[in-house]
Amino acid sequence: MKSFKLLLLAGGLSLGTSLVSCQDKLEEVVPQTSLNQSLVLTDANAALTLYTGVYASMRSYHATLLNLGEMRSDLWADGLFNETEDGTTKQLWSHDISATNAPVGSWGSFYSLLYRVNTVIKLFPNAPLDEARRKSALAEMYGLRAYIYYTMLRTWGGVPLITEPVSTIGNLADLYTPRAAPADVMKLIKDDIEQSLTLFAGSNTFTTKRVYWSRAASLTLKGDVNIWSGTHLGGGSADFTTAKTALEEVKAISTLGLQATYADVFDPLKEANNREVIFALSFEKNEATQSAYTNFLVNTTQASTLVLDPVPGPAVAVSSAYPLVAGANRNGLSSAMIARLTSGPTDARIRNSFRLMYRNTTGNPVAGTLLTKFIGRVDAGIQLYDNDFPIYRYADVLLLLAEANTKLGNDPSVDINAIRQRAYGTTYTRYVNGSQNANLNAILEEYLREFIGEGKRWWALRRAGDAYVFAAINPRYLPAGQTYKLLLPISIGLLNNDPKLTQTPGY
Amino acid sequence: MRTSTCFQCRYVILIICWLATLTSWAQTALTGTVRDAATDEPLPGVSIVVKGTTRGTATDAEGNFTLAASRGEVLVVSFVGMAKQEITLADQTTLAVKLADSKQNLDEVVVVGYGQQNRSELTGSVTSVDNTVFKSVPRTNVGTALQGTSPGLRVQQTTGQPGASPNIVLRGGTDYNGTGSPLYVVDGVVVPSLFGINMQDVEKIDVLKDAGSAAIYGSRAANGVILVTTRKGKAGKTSVTYSYKTARNYVRRNPLDYMSAADYIRWNRQGLASRYALAQLDGNTAEMNSTRNQLTGAWGWATNSAWTAPDGKYSTQLVSNANRRLLRDPQYGLLVDANPFNSNQKDSILYRSVSQRDLEDLILQRGVLNEHYLNFSGGNEQGNFSLGLGSISDQGILIGANLKRYNLNFNGGLNVGKNLVIGLNLAGYSAQSNDAYISADGGGGVNGGIVQRFTGIAPTVRLTNDNTGDQLPGVDGSTLGNPNYLRDKFLNQTGEQRYSGALNLTYNILPGLKALGQATGFYRYTTAETFNKAYINGTGGALVATRNASFTTQQVSNYLYNGFLQYDKTIGKHSLTVLAGGELNENRVYNYGATANLAATDFIPYLAASTAAVGVPTSSFASWQRLASAIGRIDYRFDNQYLLTVNLRYDGTSKLTNNRYGFFPGVSAGWNMHYADFFANSAVHQFISTLKPRLSYGVVGSIGILSDYATVPQYSSVGTYNGQPGFAAGSVTNTDLRWERASTTNFGLDMGLFNNRITLIADYYIRNVYDKLGSLTIPVASGFTAYTTNVGQLRNRGLELEVRADIIRPVAVGGFSWSVSANVSHVKNFAVKLPPNGLAQNRQGASQIFDPEQNRLVYVGGLQEGNRVGLDEVYAPVYDGLYTTQADLDARQTFYNSYLPTTNKRLKQLGDARWRDVDKNDTLDYRDFVYVGRTTPTVYGGFSTSLGWKGFSLFAQFDYSLGFVIANQQYLRGMSQVQGSQNGPTDVTQTWTPDNPNATLPRYYWANYGRNYFTDGGGNATPAANFWQKGDYVALRELTLSYETPSQLLAQLSGNRLHGLRVYLAGSNLLYFTGYNGSFPEIGGNDVGRFPLPRTVTLGATISL
């Protein structure tokens, strides 16, 4: 029995020690490949990962920005293409939009990005960064937040305003958020822009690659936003003047200007100190490459049966000119749009934006277009789609300024001509100041040609005014008077899941 | 830790070792023999224990034993697979015991958690898998043996890839979506899956189903426990067994017939005409032109001028002076077809054609399987051992898919002194598998992989040069390319090694008291390597010489230590066993990987030859978790009649933060009514020989769906931006998560009729999953779409029935016998409670349709509080016939189809589907969807029959699943031509045309323009209800004819050198009885073209020396 007692003793001892060690054993297990809030608040480098995380996240919104800013315009409507249609973009350009068929669901997922922006805005005041870095990072975040809400305002009108990151989920009813009035969204946008400009404290510096928000970006956005609020929210000439002042300030920044050669703006090998770029989303080998234009390209089977430049010849098979490009030809330009863009004096922007693909049959009819502006380059035996995607560039500033001047009744021709000169060369046709309507149409023509694939044409039409939208869009798709269709509805699913949400007016 | 006890097993082991010097005491000797009741042959290795003591022994090779025992004591004689006997000793000094085979009765030995029990003592719901299915069919994954043999388990094979693990779900699963993987325990080692285990090493598989029995595994047992026991050595003469299987895997062809090349060309042109006509009605000239242009586009049926080259991708071409000679070329056929846009013009079209069978033969092959297995086993008073060595190689029927595996399994038992028993299990395998050269099912997306895409490729495809006959690369470098060219271009190999070991110590401290200790662990290394040789990306395409090479390596280590004290006591008719102890488990996963490219040649398929890195190589400590537990069990029996088992477990986990610990008790009781005097004396006893009602209740836990750090708020990598690392929160974290708790109430009945000739095991259960861990949909404006909470309750309710009957029992050894067995399972899942979200019934993921009975919109599907779980429900629009007359069209002139791609959505043509307007609002939209069915079966099970005579036996095993729906995407994507160039089934020729006005299939449009088959153009939407099929099937899973030479005959013939010889011919996966028109009916939902299971025919032999 002695051994039995001993066993009990040993058992008791081991039990006692294990009581303590057990808890320790469980607490030892901590995440090994992630950071947390307390690290962010104690280490500057950890904090900066959240700042970079915002940009890395924003990069994935490329296709959304393209769809929202361009695909509802006349540019890609009724296009020629070789495969079956791209249903997503067709819905947009044919305005096949209704309450039961709402495109761009879940607010374009922008709230996920806003959460990340809001997290930086909340944590950085307490993070151990040096003061200058903290301020510039926060200045960028306020600028980005304004840009995101501006994109949402232009798309849906009033949207829920969220400026704090949610930390815990208590009662769900507290999380339901109604849509704010458009004027309140606009107020937040303008406040954020001012906050951003204050924090930038007059510094116009750029990083080598201009892939971060900057003071120039905040100023350009300020111009863009004020033309909008002047046109659509009753701001009138006060807002246009604010826009003009901001844009002139950007125009005067010495490190900015037009690239002499249009193609250089987008060249992935000329991204460093690209003087035309104000803010672009970065795409790089081994980081992330573009995929937003897959359906603007061509598949390998089609490519072997299509040719480039049959006139004057010799024709080159698409598959030999672009042997490694793969994708699908599901978006294109209509014959009328092709004629509009390719007839007349040679416009450097057109040849550097897309190529026409022709059938290999007699007469070589046009089969479709190949968007080459963002086609990247051949690298290591693959097609590397590493062009940056500009959000704002100097050409925007010139055309926005022309818009502001037009709306103020001033002569916009100097800025329009700056754009034209680069496009057509020294023999370009000078634009001469005309009526406000003529001026705006001239500006819109430059938007059409300058920004193919950059997500700008629809916004430009909208900013010009509703009449310009209805004039441009085929009334089969968007009959005049269907003003409510200029904003998008939200999905039944979204309405089902949030009792405080209401449908966009008119749907 | 406030109340938990956690044992550190190393202390226990130390103590056990130290105590090993204790001695035992002796008594007067009893001798005896144990024989097999059926064959009268001596049984070696039978365990004989004096009940309530530690005294015991095992029989020797001749079945003899000697044991010290005295009058009045009870001997327990037991042997795995045989019915246990208890014998009360009188004054005898010799004893002759006969043990009967327990395979088909209620007296089998059942392995339960941390021990084993006789079924007659068992109170929980435990299924022992009939090991007949282990014997003949070669199984590259042990999980397949469970299919149709274990009531309560839904086992679905999803692919014909050799070695693949089937989906296994117990009793409807504890997740809302009907999933949840059981815990797999092999010889006490918790393993992540049954992959790699050699079927031939397996002696027994038991499934713990109810919480009453599974509670001993506590937190991980909510989805049941599958216990695999491998072969142990038996005392007696050392035996050597060798078995060999050789099998042929026969191709299972697609039951769909595709169109001939001529029909394919004709019908696609017809489809264009339909599209053109609809665009014309819409007044859309752009669409009309684009459609007209397709006639010479880059499709397989189009007369593209590029196809006239002798190496064009397709061969379709118009007759011209340049190619007129081809009219005499036997490779070419001629089709004269009206031009779809100009009916006065006849087009003469030349084409080469390749048959569906030829195309299938390019990706499918007859495979060969070979399996060798060698087992050495034996034992004596000092111990026992069993060593199994196996190898298997299996070639799948999809070219490139194969598996090679080597296995080792060792079980040793060593008696050290009289009181210490050391058991050691060592097991390992090395498996090398290759995937088909291109993904079989395209990752499950509806676009499909090579099975769907290549078998449906245009029959006009040109795979060889017209003039030279040389192989061409084909249409592209992936699913449409020529397999003759591509099959050796993409190397994709996975290797896996797992080494596991378990050390078990049993020390008898005092009579009735013993200490048990166990240390187990395994390491698993998985390495996946890929290499792309340089290849031409389709005929005439670019040479892709990137030569990507990649590898990923995963290391998993898992350790488990436990220690127990067990106390057995019998006083009179009361018998008690108490077990208590603790356990610590740790699991770690490390991942490594890199990709590089630009090697100089194809000859070195490793990163070693690459010259540039692609991306950043990775290494990570990807997963880490610990579980600390206190475990207890009490078994109480009174007079073998009243049975009570209590299982207790207290678990703490590293996955939770604020609510780390959970207590999981299980109680089960049974009553062996047939031992009761009133029953034994009643007339009923003549018919009912065994009757045992059982009742159990238990609570088990689950945190399976949580990742390791689910309760720790963290920022993780979201990519590199401009050279800088970016991090962000991926979710909003709930630090208050608790254990999910599944309580099961199980009503069971074991019944034996007519001297146990018919046995029946029935179970009815209600499982409530409380504090259900689940995803709550939260407002999008929060920045997240979902949040994990524990506020919910799921209920599974189901019934299981298993019947085994010896219809004819052999009257003598070798006599004729016939037995059958059958089982059926049924389960329904209910969302009893859902996290409050302010919506009616707290619904999540539900959609709205119009209910004509209530005359209003209702929410269906998804999760709705109080309703059956509807996540597997399918809703789709339905059509009632076609528009066949102008009057039909006129009658619905204003009917609006919101899914049409046309600007005018009121357009319709003759032959279009006449959609049902359920809500009578003259519009087709989501509200008009109707209920189609569920994608998970509601009833499933299996049945088998076994005939025996003089060593011959014929065995057949079937399994079935009923009550689910399936959509054959191979069929539908052809009918809708959503991929443009694909061939379609011959049903396309049965679609409506003006010449075929009585057709019932809607008009064929190129690229589904009329939206008759899917509501979208790309075929990603749910197909119309009319095209969902019932998946109901019965599979003839195994049919085996075997001959086992009677041992006496064998002994005579071989001069006592051979002890066993069995030869057999077995067929597996032979036949599906089903109305489904695809090749793989086993899984509901979208069948995108799976890698089919081969029909396998095996010839095998087993020899024992």
Side-chain angles (χ1 to χ4, degrees), chain A residues 6 18-19 22-23 25 27-28 34-35 49 59 84 96 116 172 176 211 282 286-287 360 381 476 496, chain B residues 1 4 6 15 18 305 546 615 626 628 660 714-715 720-723 727 729 787 837 843 859 903 905 1007:
Chain A
L6 204 84
S18 60
L19 280 177
C22 218
Q23 179 125 10
K25 288 267 178 236
E27 277 170 5
E28 268 171 33
S34 64
L35 299 171
T49 63
R59 185 166 52 191
T84 50
D96 182 8
R116 291 170 185 186
L172 263 191
Y176 295 132
V211 294
S282 170
N286 292 343
E287 291 181 2
N360 53 3
R476 275 166 51 83
N496 280 347
Chain B
M1 181 158 28
S4 167
C6 163
I15 293 158
W18 184 80
S305 59
T546 311
R626 282 180 178 158
R660 217 155 231 180
Q714 52 182 328
Y715 304 119
T720 308
Y721 187 86
N722 198 31
F727 279 56
Y787 178 69
N837 61 5
R843 62 167 191 270
Y859 282 96
T903 309
K905 298 191 190 304

Side-chain angles (χ1 to χ4, degrees), chain B residues 216 320 795:
Chain B
I216 193 113
S320 70
R795 179 177 297 156

Side-chain angles (χ1 to χ4, degrees), chain A residues 276-308:
Chain A
E276 181 148 349
V277 174
I278 293 171
F279 170 52
L281 293 177
S282 170
F283 290 91
E284 292 295 333
K285 182 180 179 179
N286 292 343
E287 291 181 2
T289 52
Q290 287 186 353
S291 57
Y293 304 105
T294 306
N295 284 339
F296 295 78
L297 303 176
V298 66
N299 83 32
T300 52
T301 302
Q302 313 277 354
S304 68
T305 72
L306 300 170
V307 298
L308 302 169

Side-chain angles (χ1 to χ4, degrees), chain B residues 579-598:
Chain B
L579 176 84
E583 184 172 280
L584 180 70
N585 181 215
E586 179 182 59
N587 194 77
R588 294 175 182 232
V589 180
Y590 296 84
N591 288 324
Y592 307 90
T595 305
N597 61 18
L598 299 182

Side-chain angles (χ1 to χ4, degrees), chain A residues 496-497, chain B residues 834 837 839-846 859 863-864:
Chain A
N496 280 347
N497 285 332
Chain B
L834 292 168
N837 61 5
L839 304 176
Q841 293 181 279
N842 293 320
R843 62 167 191 270
Q844 287 191 42
Y859 282 96
L863 297 173
Q864 299 182 62

Side-chain angles (χ1 to χ4, degrees), chain B residues 466-497:
Chain B
D466 278 7
N467 300 337
T468 65
D470 292 345
Q471 293 289 332
L472 298 172
V475 178
D476 65 15
S478 61
T479 48
L480 301 177
N482 182 356
N484 280 337
Y485 174 77
L486 291 171
R487 63 173 53 148
D488 63 348
K489 297 290 187 277
F490 310 117
L491 312 183
N492 185 358
Q493 178 172 272
T494 306
E496 182 168 307
Q497 283 91 41

